[in-house]
Amino acid sequence: MTPAPRITIASENALIVYFDHRPSPAVSSKISLTAEKLKAYLGPGLIDLVPSYASLLVIFDLAKTDHHSVRRAINTALERSKKASGIEEIQEPDSLI
């Protein structure tokens, strides 16, 4: 069974999402889908997304958002990514921040 994604503080303006302990095609797919959603959710508050084999670094602009808002956006993206991989149709918000 795949562990639930874990969000941790990476720096003053970055959070990292660990999807699993090792890479796999399923993990890569989850990272890509989550990154796509975060681009839409964070908009101008997003500086960069840095995917790796089993994680995603989310770098954001502290002048436009904070850790708490970004963590909420990540959790929403993770939840909607999980639903989107099923058969449900998801309506995307314009922005979460």
Side-chain angles (χ1 to χ4, degrees), residues 81-90:
S81 294
K82 187 184 341 178
K83 289 179 183 178
S85 65
I87 56 173
E88 296 181 39
E89 184 67 30
I90 304 298

Side-chain angles (χ1 to χ4, degrees), residues 4-55:
R6 184 172 47 95
I7 305 166
T8 61
I9 295 173
S11 73
E12 65 183 15
N13 71 325
L15 295 172
I16 189 164
V17 185
Y18 294 100
F19 288 83
D20 204 338
H21 301 293
R22 59 183 147 227
S24 72
V27 170
S28 294
S29 178
K30 289 176 189 177
I31 291 170
S32 295
L33 190 53
T34 302
E36 286 177 34
K37 292 184 180 309
L38 285 173
K39 286 177 191 174
Y41 295 167
L42 296 174
L46 181 66
I47 292 175
D48 201 5
L49 293 169
V50 183
S52 77
Y53 293 109
S55 65

Side-chain angles (χ1 to χ4, degrees), residues 56-71:
L56 178 65
L57 180 66
V58 182
I59 305 168
F60 55 90
D61 185 345
L62 277 174
K64 296 178 180 168
T65 191
D66 59 38
H67 277 134
H68 301 291
S69 297
V70 174
R71 186 179 292 267

